[in-house]
Amino acid sequence: MRDNTDKKQQGVNRRDFFKACAVVGVGVAGGLTLNEVLFRENETSIFIGSVNGYGSNLRDYIIRGLREISITEHDIKGKKVLLKPNLVEPHRGASHINTDPAIIRAAAESFLYLGASGVLVAEGAGHRRDALLVLEESGLADVLHEDRIPFVDLNTSDVVRTKNAGKSSKLKELYIPSDLFKADILVSMPKMKTHHWAGVTLSMKNLFGVMPGIVYGWPKNVLHWAGLQECIFDITATLKPQLAIVDGIIGMEGDGPIMGTPIQSNVIVIGKNLPAVDATCARIMGIDPKKISYLKHSSGRIGAIKESNIDQRGENIQSVRRDYQLLDYIPAQKEIRLGI
Amino acid sequence: MEKLISNAIDLVCSRALAEGGFSVKSDGFFRPDATAWAVLALKSGLCCGEYISKACLRLAQSQLPDGRVPLSTVNAAAYWPTALAVLAWQKSAGQVDSVQRAVTFLINNTGVHFPKEKKSIAEHDTEIKGWPWVENTHSWVEPTSMAVLALRSSRNGEHPRVFEAVRMLLDRQLPSGGWNMGNTSAFDKELLPVPESTGSALAALNSFTNTEVVQKSLEYLNKIIQDLRTPLALAWGLFGLTSWNRRPENCRQLILETLERQEKYGPYDTDLLSQLIIAYYTEADLIRFVC
C-alpha cells in the first residue's frame, strides 16, 4: 500500500494529474483538455442518443456522442482509457442489473477507433468477491476475451492513500486502487437505475465500484457508515473522471440496484461532467435531480445540474422521458418525481 | 503431481518476497492475506518449506501490538486478515505468542451492532455479534466465518463469541438456502445467495448444527458446484461441501479445469491459486486440514 498524502507531484498526463489531485485536492492546470472542463460550473454539453436496442450499431452512436460533446481524436489519441462499468451483483438471466457487455464493447471499440493506445475494463463489485464469476455471469467475460481487453479487479489491487478532495463525508482520506494510475482517461459506465438508498444510481454512484473491497469491505460498508450521499460526492470530487457513458437501453426501475424490474428506455447518455450527466438521466427517468441529495450537493461545486446550464445534444429529454417506477415504501424514492 | 497443480505451486512460490511473505501478483507488495493463503497452500502440498517459516515470521512482523494483523500498517482498520493469520500460524512453533494475541484481539472485537428498529428495512437481527471486514462497520458473513474458523483452529471453539457468531450466521442464512454477504432481505424481498459466502458459512458451521438446518444451503451449493469454473467460488463451494461430507467425486477435475481457465483470465492472484491448491489436496474439512 502506497501513501500519496504527503508527496508533492506535478504532471501533465492523467496519471500524474490524478496523483497531484490526490495530494493537494485541487485541479491542476495544463495538459488535460478533458479535465479542464470537468469542474466548471457553467454550461456543459450532454448527448442523449436514442437507440433501438443492444443490437444497434452502438459504436457509431458513441462516436457521434463523443463528437457532439467536443471530444475528438486529439483528446483520445495515444491515451489509455479505463472503462468502469457497473457489475455490482450479477446473476444469470438478470442482465438489467449490470452495464450490458454490448455497450462496453462498443465503448472500447470507439476509443480505439479514436486512437486510444489501449483500453482496459476495471470494476470492484460491491456485493461479490469472485470477480471472475461476476464477469461470467454478466456475460462480459467472453467479450473481453474475444476482444483481448484486459480486466482489473479493483477490489483486490494494491491501493494508494489519497486525501479526500470532496470533504463532505467523515472520511479524511480515500484508498484508491493503484491500477487507476495506469489510465489517462477514466470513463464511468453505469446502468440507468433507481436505487433504494440513493434514489438513483448513475455515473457518480457507479464510482463506489472503484473503491477497493479489501479496504472498504463487501458490501463497502465503510462508505455507508461515513454517509452514503456524501461519499458519492467525495469519490467523484477526488477521482475526477473525465467521461460518463450511461447504459439506459434497458434500465432498472423500482427496488434497484438489484431487485428492481427491467425497463426499456433505449437511450445512451454521454457527457464530461458527471453531475450533469446524472441530472440529465434523472430527468429522463422522470426524477427531479434537485431532490437527489448528492446531485443537489454537487450543483455549483463539481458540476451543473440545472437544466438551463446543460446544453442538450442529440435527443431532447421530453422525447425520451420514461418515468421509472418509484416505490412509496422506499424512503429514498419518496417525493422525487419530476413534474410534467 | 498433476502439472497444473505443480504450475500453480510454482507460481505461488514465484511471488515469495525476499524479506518474507507473498504478494498478490507478480512484482507486487507484501500482503498479509496472500501470505496467509500461500502458507496454507504450501503446507497442503507439503512443499516449499523454506518459504513457510519466513512467511509466518513476516506475518508476525506485520501484527500490531493489540494483536490485529491489518491489511497494512497504513490502514489498521481493515483487520480482516487477522483470522487468516491465525490459520496460517497453526502448527508453527515460532508464532505461539502471535496466535494468542490475535485470538485475544478477535475475542475482544466485534462489528458495530445495534437494536433492530421496528421499521427496519433489513430482516436480520442486527444485535447478534460477529466480525466485520473493517473496524467500526457491521458484521458480515465471510469475516465472521473466517473468525469462527480461526478460533476453532486455536482451540477456542467453545468460546461464547463463537456460539454467538454461529447464531449470527444462522440468522443470516437465506430462507430459500444459501448465504450472501450478509443481508437476507431488503424491503421485504429475499435477496440472492452466492457460492463463496455460502461455502464460507458452511465451512464454519459444520460442527455446530444439524444437517437439516443447512439442508437448503447444501442443496443450493450442490446444484451449482458443477457449473463453477472460477477459483474463489469453486474453492469455497468445495470447502463448504467437503465440511459436510459432500465433496463431489469430480472435485479435482473441477479444480484442474478452473486452473486451466487462466488461459482465458490470465494468472490468478496468490489467494485464489492457494485456495484451489488447498481444495485439491484437502479431503477433510478446513479445521482438520489446518490443525
Side-chain angles (χ1 to χ4, degrees):
Chain A
M1 182 178 292
R2 283 180 285 155
D3 184 355
N4 260 11
T5 52
D6 301 323
K7 299 174 194 167
K8 291 201 171 176
Q9 299 174 57
Q10 291 183 335
V12 292
N13 62 22
R14 174 182 158 75
R15 282 163 268 197
D16 291 337
F17 171 85
F18 182 89
K19 288 177 189 172
C21 289
V23 175
V24 297
V26 295
V28 176
L32 249 195
T33 312
L34 295 180
N35 269 317
E36 285 170 3
V37 296
L38 177 68
F39 282 1
R40 280 187 200 160
E41 293 171 14
N42 57 6
E43 190 171 288
T44 181
S45 300
I46 303 294
F47 172 77
I48 302 173
S50 176
V51 299
N52 287 326
Y54 293 108
S56 306
N57 189 341
L58 299 177
R59 192 188 79 162
D60 285 358
Y61 279 102
I62 290 173
I63 291 172
R64 183 192 153 200
L66 293 172
R67 292 202 162 123
E68 288 274 358
I69 61 168
S70 306
I71 291 178
T72 65
E73 284 86 346
H74 173 76
D75 298 306
I76 305 299
K77 195 173 179 187
K79 303 273 172 65
K80 197 168 258 187
V81 179
L82 187 151
L83 306 178
K84 160 62 183 82
N86 182 278
L87 305 174
V88 57
E89 185 185 319
H91 292 278
R92 283 188 204 282
S95 61
H96 58 296
I97 299 176
N98 310 297
T99 310
D100 197 276
I103 198 166
I104 298 168
R105 169 177 263 164
E109 288 175 354
S110 301
F111 288 111
L112 290 171
Y113 176 81
L114 293 173
S117 63
V119 175
L120 70 152
V121 172
E123 167 68 313
H127 299 171
R128 300 287 298 268
R129 286 213 304 127
D130 190 333
L132 299 175
L133 190 56
V134 161
L135 292 183
E136 290 291 344
E137 292 189 346
S138 66
L140 188 56
D142 289 338
V143 167
L144 298 182
H145 184 60
E146 285 163 20
D147 289 4
R148 300 185 178 191
I149 300 169
F151 173 79
V152 174
D153 179 6
L154 297 175
N155 274 329
T156 59
S157 305
D158 287 321
V159 299
V160 176
R161 184 170 64 165
T162 70
K163 280 188 178 166
N164 176 1
K167 298 180 181 170
S168 287
S169 73
K170 297 171 188 168
L171 302 175
K172 290 196 166 45
E173 293 152 346
L174 298 176
Y175 292 83
I176 309 295
S178 54
D179 286 299
L180 285 195
F181 300 149
K182 295 174 186 167
D184 302 294
I185 296 172
L186 170 59
V187 186
S188 179
M189 294 195 66
K191 192 80 165 169
M192 188 180 278
K193 295 190 284 188
T194 52
H195 193 282
H196 58 210
W197 302 122
V200 291
T201 171
L202 296 159
S203 69
M204 290 175 68
K205 173 69 175 65
N206 180 43
L207 297 175
F208 263 42
V210 165
M211 309 308 280
I214 54 169
V215 174
Y216 295 97
W218 288 267
K220 297 178 183 180
N221 206 208
V222 175
L223 305 177
H224 301 152
W225 284 91
L228 180 89
Q229 306 270 0
E230 293 84 353
C231 283
I232 295 172
F233 174 88
D234 283 351
I235 295 165
T236 309
T238 303
L239 293 178
K240 298 177 172 63
Q242 285 83 356
L243 270 172
I245 301 174
V246 183
D247 173 7
I249 297 174
I250 294 176
M252 180 188 284
E253 61 181 356
D255 187 8
I258 312 294
M259 303 303 284
T261 48
I263 174 168
Q264 194 112 17
S265 279
N266 284 338
V267 291
I268 295 174
V269 181
I270 302 174
K272 295 180 222 174
N273 183 284
L274 272 59
V277 168
D278 288 4
T280 299
C281 290
R283 291 185 176 101
I284 291 170
M285 300 160 79
I287 291 167
D288 186 347
K290 294 194 298 295
K291 293 177 180 169
I292 302 297
S293 172
Y294 67 85
L295 286 178
K296 190 179 171 190
H297 187 62
S298 300
S299 175
R301 291 186 172 86
I302 59 169
I305 70 162
K306 287 179 190 162
E307 207 165 354
S308 58
N309 283 341
I310 299 173
D311 169 29
Q312 219 73 64
R313 303 290 178 92
E315 308 295 326
N316 67 58
I317 290 172
Q318 280 311 317
S319 70
V320 294
R321 175 172 167 176
R322 178 144 188 216
D323 288 1
Y324 279 39
Q325 183 193 27
L326 300 171
L327 300 173
D328 57 9
Y329 57 85
I330 294 180
Q333 295 184 6
K334 270 187 185 167
E335 297 172 4
I336 61 171
R337 180 65 77 204
L338 183 67
I340 303 294
Chain B
M1 191 192 294
E2 181 64 51
K3 184 145 181 56
L4 283 165
I5 287 291
S6 65
N7 287 348
I9 292 171
D10 288 346
L11 187 50
V12 169
C13 290
S14 75
R15 293 170 181 168
L17 303 168
E19 72 271 24
F22 289 80
S23 58
V24 173
K25 297 181 194 301
S26 303
D27 303 320
F29 302 105
F30 166 77
R31 274 267 293 271
D33 50 331
T35 300
W37 281 115
V39 166
L40 290 166
L42 298 180
K43 281 180 179 174
S44 75
L46 299 174
C47 55
C48 309
E50 68 273 22
Y51 295 119
I52 294 175
S53 52
K54 262 180 96 174
C56 285
L57 185 61
R58 181 73 182 82
L59 267 181
Q61 287 164 350
S62 69
Q63 187 175 32
L64 298 189
D66 68 0
R68 77 179 74 192
V69 179
L71 182 68
S72 86
T73 49
V74 176
N75 180 0
Y79 68 67
W80 56 269
T82 306
L84 289 175
V86 171
L87 293 171
W89 283 327
Q90 296 302 320
K91 294 189 209 166
S92 298
Q95 273 77 45
V96 174
D97 176 60
S98 291
V99 170
Q100 190 49 51
R101 288 197 293 124
V103 164
T104 303
F105 175 82
L106 287 173
I107 285 172
N108 291 335
N109 284 276
T110 178
V112 175
H113 292 272
F114 40 89
K116 190 176 171 185
E117 294 170 11
K118 273 186 186 169
K119 287 185 178 174
S120 173
I121 50 178
E123 187 62 34
H124 71 264
D125 188 333
T126 49
E127 285 192 280
I128 312 176
K129 292 185 179 113
W131 283 271
W133 291 100
V134 186
E135 197 164 31
N136 296 323
T137 62
H138 199 39
S139 296
W140 299 98
V141 165
E142 289 179 68
T144 298
S145 301
M146 292 311 300
V148 168
L149 288 167
L151 292 175
R152 286 176 62 192
S153 74
S154 55
R155 288 180 284 286
N156 289 284
E158 303 289 313
H159 195 281
R161 283 297 311 277
V162 172
F163 290 127
E164 184 168 12
V166 166
R167 216 155 52 81
M168 189 209 104
L169 290 174
L170 291 175
D171 181 65
R172 307 280 184 106
Q173 186 176 209
L174 296 163
S176 303
W179 279 264
N180 55 31
M181 59 193 173
N183 279 329
T184 52
S185 77
F187 298 105
D188 289 331
K189 263 190 194 156
E190 184 179 330
L191 301 176
L192 302 167
V194 299
E196 55 271 27
S197 306
T198 303
S200 73
L202 285 170
L205 287 172
N206 77 330
S207 62
F208 290 104
T209 190
N210 300 322
T211 306
E212 295 76 45
V213 176
V214 295
Q215 185 62 38
K216 285 182 186 170
S217 297
L218 288 166
E219 284 167 10
Y220 158 72
L221 212 43
N222 210 34
K223 190 175 164 193
I224 61 163
I225 197 80
Q226 296 296 332
D227 294 330
L228 295 176
R229 295 294 185 282
T230 57
L232 187 80
L234 178 69
W236 279 104
L238 293 173
F239 292 149
L241 289 172
T242 302
S243 296
W244 291 82
N245 299 316
R246 282 164 171 76
R247 185 175 169 89
E249 282 181 15
N250 64 342
C251 169
R252 288 191 160 188
Q253 188 54 37
L254 294 175
I255 292 168
L256 295 176
E257 286 174 19
T258 302
L259 283 169
E260 241 169 11
R261 291 255 181 143
Q262 289 176 97
E263 285 178 15
K264 178 179 180 181
Y265 301 131
Y268 293 152
D269 288 357
T270 303
D271 307 46
L272 304 177
L273 284 169
S274 300
Q275 287 160 16
L276 287 175
I277 294 165
I278 296 164
Y280 185 86
Y281 282 117
T282 310
E283 296 189 356
D285 64 63
L286 276 177
I287 294 298
R288 268 190 281 173
F289 155 66
V290 170
C291 301

